[in-house]
Amino acid sequence: MVSPIHIIRCAVTALLVVVSTAHAQEVEAALDRDSVPAGQGAMLTIQISGGRAAEPSIPAVKDLIVQPRGRSQNVQIVNGTTTMSVTYNYAVGSTIPGDYQIPSFEVVVDGRKFPTQPLNLKVVPDVSNVPPAGLPPAAPGTQGEQRENTASEQETGFLTVELAASERKHVYVGEIAPVRIRAWLPADSQPQLRSGIQPEAKAFTLHNVSGQPQQSMEVKDGKRYIVATWYGGISATKAGKYPASLSLNATVAIRDESAPKPRRPRGGPFDDPFFDSAFDRMNARYIQKDVTLSSLDQEIEVRPLPTAGRPQGFTGAVGDFKLEAADFPTEWNSGEPRQLIAGISGAGNFALMNAPDLTPPENWKTYPAKDEFTANDEASFSGTKRFQFSAVPKKGGEQEVGLTFSYFDPAAGEYKTLNSPLVKIRVAGEDMIEKEEIAIAEPTPEPKLEDTLVGQKTVVSAVGLLDPLVARPAFVSLLAVAGGLSLLGGLLAVFRKRWQDPKRRARIAMEAATRGALHAAGERAAARDVPGFFAAARRAIQERLGAQWNQPAQAITLAEVAERMPGDSPVLEFFREADLHEYSRSAAGEMFPRWQELLDQAMQSLTPSAR
């Protein structure tokens, strides 16, 4: 049973909470002084009244030290009005003289934001650090030269590059292999990164480097380092052993242990061992230098994709994938296109992946697919790519249909082909006739002469008897007509042969596909769809190369272009640029004119007049 005293206490507590909530909410920040010597500090108090609030976040100010000093809570009842407040205390100061300002910041009280006023603190030189009177000043440039010489002897850091899969010691041509990039910086330094990871050589292409690095403290060769870790991918277009040359620009401030440490005067809110360590680090002299961190001489072996066992449907996909079953309609009409959606999931170079093929291929006609990639990780190495394309059945009747997809598995070192379960469908209508027959009219048979006797003429002119048959006008006209018909027949035969020429039909189909891809690239550029522009533009180049190299256009990859074309070819440069932007799945982005110019140069170099 609850005692009456406990009930009264709960009621009083609830009343105090209601009254305190009804009181006006306030936030006040103040410094107990506006000027302190270097090495000493002022007390910053942040008082929050009339509500609940989390601990404030003080903005960082360069060379200014802010140390928490605990908090206190106060409840006051004046004339029946209850006021509850929480005060957060901080010690603020610096070892470097100058004028400092703590900018305005927001404190959230019961969901409402209250801004504070900017606070100014002046740090004046500490007289205890001034050299005694009578000592000669340092010679001009002596201190700077000493710091420079010391800095050159200090280790400022380095980069390491390693494959994310520890069991792998090599990569394959066309593979985008996950890598771990680490920047090792001395533990007692103050680093500041000034750039992203940059490749130093053309052997490798860097893909999808994570934005914010992961930070940790690690020991290497008996030394402690601050380690910043990025994840990304590298790919190569040629086989061989190449150094993974990467660089990173940084500003590193290294502690100068040779410089004397001035003594800090005691007293004030900073006078305790916890704050002493922070001021000792700030009080030490640092050598600041702009450096370029480079990866060590680490080589990565790039192996060529094997030619033995390469499936006919392989188009350059390298990784580990799974084929999702497609939803086929059970009823079709011959010659009628229907939309299909297929998905491929896993991990690998999704940028070089094309839609799976319908099987059996001789029964189907397909059109270029639209694709959409959904990443499962920050570096876009794993995810799902879905394809939407149109398919037309060329054969009527009952049949089975499925999907097939070929790729190279770098872990197993072999090609693999995935097949979806076969689905029975029924196609209504007759078989499609791909080639149109040209109807040639059969010659009209000459009228048959009757077997009748013709009487001789009784009156014959002298001229008629003397003119030979070849000189008669009717015979000459008949010969002209016969010659014209023969010439027309020959022309029709040549026209029919050219019309049915497989090379001509393939060339017409290639030109139509190229124009369609270029038109799609123009539309994607107008819509600021950067990945769509590069995908359509690369398809146009692949169509032109496929006709020249006599191979399927979709099977042409960056690796093959790099092997068969010179290094300064605009086609090779465009393929590399397309690979860099294929992973960016953003809906819109900035379109640079140089991309369209590079596409025009690549297409112009493949035209017959340019070769």
Side-chain angles (χ1 to χ4, degrees):
M1 182 174 180
V2 182
S3 63
I5 297 177
H6 181 69
I7 296 176
I8 294 173
R9 288 179 178 176
C10 292
V12 171
T13 302
L15 179 60
L16 291 176
V17 171
V18 173
V19 172
S20 63
T21 304
H23 186 69
Q25 298 168 336
E26 294 181 357
V27 174
E28 182 180 0
L31 289 169
D32 65 341
R33 66 194 76 177
D34 57 6
S35 178
V36 293
Q40 300 188 29
M43 183 64 68
L44 168 64
T45 59
I46 303 175
Q47 186 176 8
I48 304 171
S49 304
R52 297 179 179 270
E55 182 176 354
S57 178
I58 310 299
V61 179
K62 184 179 180 181
D63 298 329
L64 187 67
I65 300 176
V66 178
Q67 289 289 332
R69 277 293 180 266
R71 70 172 188 172
S72 59
Q73 187 171 355
N74 185 29
V75 179
Q76 293 182 350
I77 301 177
V78 179
N79 298 328
T81 301
T82 302
T83 303
M84 299 181 63
S85 64
V86 178
T87 301
Y88 292 89
N89 303 308
Y90 301 87
V92 182
S94 178
T95 59
I96 302 176
D99 294 324
Y100 297 89
Q101 183 182 75
I102 302 176
S104 174
F105 57 93
E106 293 182 340
V107 179
V108 180
V109 182
D110 290 339
R112 294 181 57 191
K113 296 181 179 180
F114 292 86
T116 63
Q117 294 294 328
L119 301 175
N120 297 316
L121 178 65
K122 186 177 184 62
V123 178
V124 298
D126 184 8
V127 295
S128 62
N129 291 333
V130 177
L135 287 181
T142 302
Q143 185 177 5
E145 292 178 1
Q146 180 182 359
R147 293 187 180 185
E148 181 67 24
N149 295 334
T150 308
S152 62
E153 299 174 358
Q154 294 280 355
E155 183 182 6
T156 55
F158 55 91
L159 293 180
T160 58
V161 184
E162 57 186 2
L163 296 177
S166 57
E167 67 278 4
R168 293 280 303 279
K169 303 301 180 183
H170 60 272
V171 299
Y172 286 91
V173 172
E175 176 189 6
I176 300 179
V179 293
R180 184 186 298 108
I181 306 169
R182 293 182 174 182
W184 301 76
L185 301 156
D188 57 350
S189 66
Q190 297 178 1
Q192 181 180 1
L193 305 182
R194 296 186 290 110
S195 72
I197 305 294
Q198 301 292 334
E200 290 290 328
K202 296 183 179 180
F204 293 99
T205 302
L206 198 59
H207 303 270
N208 301 343
V209 179
S210 55
Q212 294 296 330
Q214 301 176 5
Q215 298 186 26
S216 61
M217 295 290 295
E218 298 188 26
V219 177
K220 185 178 180 67
D221 299 331
K223 297 181 180 180
R224 296 179 69 249
Y225 291 92
I226 303 172
V227 181
T229 304
W230 294 265
Y231 291 92
I234 59 173
S235 64
T237 58
K238 291 184 179 181
K241 287 187 176 181
Y242 305 103
S245 300
L246 302 177
S247 65
L248 172 67
N249 295 328
T251 299
V252 181
I254 301 176
R255 191 170 181 175
D256 186 4
E257 299 294 344
S258 62
K261 299 179 182 179
R263 295 180 301 171
R264 182 177 62 84
R266 298 297 177 179
F270 293 94
D271 194 10
D272 62 58
F274 178 78
F275 200 70
D276 281 346
S277 60
F279 260 106
D280 287 342
R281 290 193 300 269
M282 287 285 300
N283 202 30
R285 299 196 182 277
Y286 280 81
I287 306 166
Q288 182 172 302
K289 190 175 183 180
D290 293 339
V291 297
T292 299
L293 307 180
S294 300
S295 58
L296 301 178
D297 295 333
Q298 300 173 278
E299 287 188 341
I300 297 180
E301 179 186 1
V302 182
R303 296 182 179 180
L305 293 177
T307 56
R310 179 179 297 184
Q312 185 177 2
F314 176 72
T315 60
V318 181
D320 185 15
F321 305 103
K322 294 181 180 180
L323 178 61
E324 299 180 358
D327 187 12
F328 292 100
T330 56
E331 297 291 335
W332 295 69
N333 291 326
S334 177
E336 178 183 352
R338 299 287 293 271
Q339 289 286 336
L340 293 178
I341 297 178
I344 299 175
S345 59
N349 59 346
F350 285 93
L352 301 180
M353 180 183 296
N354 293 325
D357 298 324
L358 288 173
T359 181
E362 64 271 10
N363 291 353
W364 297 91
K365 178 179 179 60
T366 58
Y367 296 89
K370 296 181 180 179
D371 60 82
E372 181 180 1
F373 177 69
T374 302
N376 290 342
D377 55 68
E378 184 180 359
S380 300
F381 289 114
S382 63
T384 302
K385 195 171 187 179
R386 299 192 180 277
F387 302 89
Q388 181 178 358
F389 59 95
S390 297
V392 178
K394 298 190 294 185
K395 303 290 184 181
E398 294 184 354
Q399 53 186 286
E400 292 182 336
V401 61
L403 294 174
T404 180
F405 175 74
S406 299
Y407 67 96
F408 182 78
D409 187 349
E414 60 183 14
Y415 293 96
K416 295 183 179 180
T417 300
L418 305 176
N419 295 289
S420 68
L422 296 177
V423 178
K424 293 184 178 180
I425 63 172
R426 179 176 179 81
V427 179
E430 300 294 333
D431 294 353
M432 292 178 58
I433 301 177
E434 295 186 7
K435 297 183 179 180
E436 299 179 359
E437 298 292 340
I438 300 177
I440 301 179
E442 297 182 358
T444 304
E446 297 181 359
K448 187 176 181 181
L449 298 177
E450 297 180 359
D451 297 334
T452 57
L453 295 176
V454 180
Q456 297 181 351
K457 295 182 179 180
T458 57
V459 179
V460 181
S461 64
V463 176
L465 292 175
L466 296 177
D467 287 342
L469 181 62
V470 295
R472 296 179 183 181
F475 185 79
V476 175
S477 301
L478 181 61
L479 287 178
V481 172
L485 292 177
S486 300
L487 180 61
L488 178 60
L491 292 176
L492 290 177
V494 173
F495 177 75
R496 180 178 181 181
K497 183 178 180 180
R498 293 190 59 187
W499 180 264
Q500 295 180 348
D501 184 13
K503 294 183 179 179
R504 174 186 172 277
R505 296 174 69 91
R507 185 173 62 256
I508 294 176
M510 181 272 294
E511 293 295 342
T514 303
R515 289 193 299 270
L518 292 175
H519 179 71
E523 291 181 344
R524 294 299 88 204
R528 300 176 63 193
D529 181 3
V530 176
F533 166 76
F534 278 102
R538 177 162 51 186
R539 189 164 63 250
I541 299 177
Q542 286 175 326
E543 292 289 345
R544 190 64 59 83
L545 289 176
Q548 295 182 7
W549 295 349
N550 194 23
Q551 68 181 77
Q554 294 180 347
I556 298 175
T557 63
L558 173 60
E560 187 170 4
V561 173
E563 291 181 0
R564 302 184 61 168
M565 305 198 74
D568 58 350
S569 170
V571 176
L572 178 58
E573 185 177 356
F574 188 87
F575 262 72
R576 287 173 175 167
E577 191 76 21
D579 275 1
L580 293 177
H581 295 276
E582 184 72 18
Y583 289 92
S584 176
R585 313 310 303 177
S586 58
E590 183 179 358
M591 287 293 304
F592 292 100
R594 64 181 181 87
W595 295 341
Q596 183 63 47
E597 295 176 359
L598 185 59
L599 173 60
D600 296 339
Q601 295 174 4
M603 294 301 297
Q604 185 178 3
S605 67
L606 297 177
T607 56
S609 59
R611 288 181 287 122

